[in-house]
Amino acid sequence: MRGDESPLFYWEMIKKDLITKLIDERIAELNNGLYVVELTISPSNVIRVELDKVSGGVTVTDCMSVSRNVEHNLDREEQDFELHVSSAGLDKSLRHIKQYIKNIGRELDVVLQNGTKFCGEIVEVTENTVILCHREMKKLEVKKKKELVEEKYDLAFSDIKEAKIVISFKWLFMNSVELTDSFLEFKEL
C-alpha cells in the first residue's frame, strides 16, 4: 500500500454534529450567555472552538468547562484528535450577530467585499445589517467654522468582508473592573 491507502494514514474525521452537541450541552448547563462564534474541524481532527459571551468576557473556566465536556465524551482509542477552545479575541473580525449586538456603542472598522472602508460607532443591529454612525468635524462651504457632521451607514452583513472593533483604552479603563475579575479568576487557577 502507498500514500493515503496505508492504514498508518487512515483516520475517520470527527463529525461536526457530535462536537456541536457536546458544546451545546455544556453551554446550556453553564447558562451564562456563552455561545459558539466558530467551530472548525480539520481533516486530521484538529478541533478549534471559539467562544464569546452575550455580555462580559469569556473566562478560562468557561473554556476549560467546554473543553472537558468534549474531551470526556470522545474516545481517543477510536479517534485521535487535538482540541483548542478559546475566546474569540479582540484582534479577530466579528463573525456572529451577537458580537455586533454586544459591541453596540463601540467603534468598528469595516471593510466590504468590494474593498470600501467604513469606520463608525455601532448604533443599531438588525437581523441582516449593522448601522454605524461616523461623527467628524468638517468645514461646511456655507459656514466658516467647522461643525460636527454625522453620517450613518447601513451595512448588510452579507457585504462585510471584515469588521474589527477599534481597541480603545478609554473603553478598557471604563470596563477595568470586569477585566480585573477575569484576571483574578485566571490567577486563582
Side-chain angles (χ1 to χ4, degrees), residues 32-43:
N32 63 1
L34 205 59
Y35 60 92
V36 176
V37 173
E38 189 169 41
L39 167 63
T40 59
I41 304 172
S42 74

Side-chain angles (χ1 to χ4, degrees), residues 47-184:
I47 304 165
R48 295 189 189 281
V49 182
E50 287 188 35
L51 304 171
D52 206 344
K53 273 189 179 172
V54 173
S55 65
V58 176
T59 65
V60 173
T61 305
D62 293 330
C63 292
M64 285 179 7
S65 183
V66 169
S67 177
R68 285 183 180 151
N69 198 53
V70 172
E71 269 193 67
H72 292 181
N73 287 289
L74 294 178
D75 186 358
R76 285 197 184 269
E77 296 297 320
E78 281 185 32
Q79 298 169 316
D80 192 25
F81 62 92
E82 186 177 321
L83 178 62
H84 302 272
V85 179
S86 64
S87 65
L90 281 176
D91 61 329
K92 295 213 174 172
S93 185
L94 301 183
R95 290 159 283 159
H96 196 286
I97 189 170
K98 289 180 183 179
Q99 289 180 297
Y100 287 90
I101 293 168
K102 173 183 177 176
N103 287 291
I104 288 176
R106 298 206 44 208
E107 196 84 6
L108 187 69
D109 279 336
V110 177
V111 179
L112 299 182
Q113 301 290 353
N114 66 9
T116 307
K117 295 179 181 180
F118 293 93
C119 184
E121 177 186 330
I122 303 172
V123 291
E124 187 179 340
V125 179
T126 68
E127 187 177 322
N128 300 312
T129 64
V130 59
I131 300 170
L132 301 182
C133 181
H134 178 75
R135 293 176 189 94
E136 184 178 353
M137 294 297 284
K138 286 187 176 180
K139 190 172 184 178
L140 303 175
E141 288 181 29
V142 181
K143 298 185 179 184
K144 291 185 178 182
K145 63 181 186 177
K146 291 184 178 181
E147 284 191 17
L148 184 64
V149 177
E150 246 185 39
E151 294 178 273
K152 289 199 175 179
Y153 309 113
D154 195 344
L155 307 173
F157 291 125
S158 60
D159 293 338
I160 296 174
K161 179 179 181 179
E162 183 177 83
K164 289 187 175 185
I165 294 298
V166 176
I167 299 171
S168 162
F169 291 103
K170 178 181 173 186
W171 182 89
L172 288 172
F173 177 74
M174 292 172 64
N175 292 283
S176 63
V177 172
E178 183 181 306
L179 295 171
T180 303
D181 290 345
S182 294
F183 174 75
L184 292 173

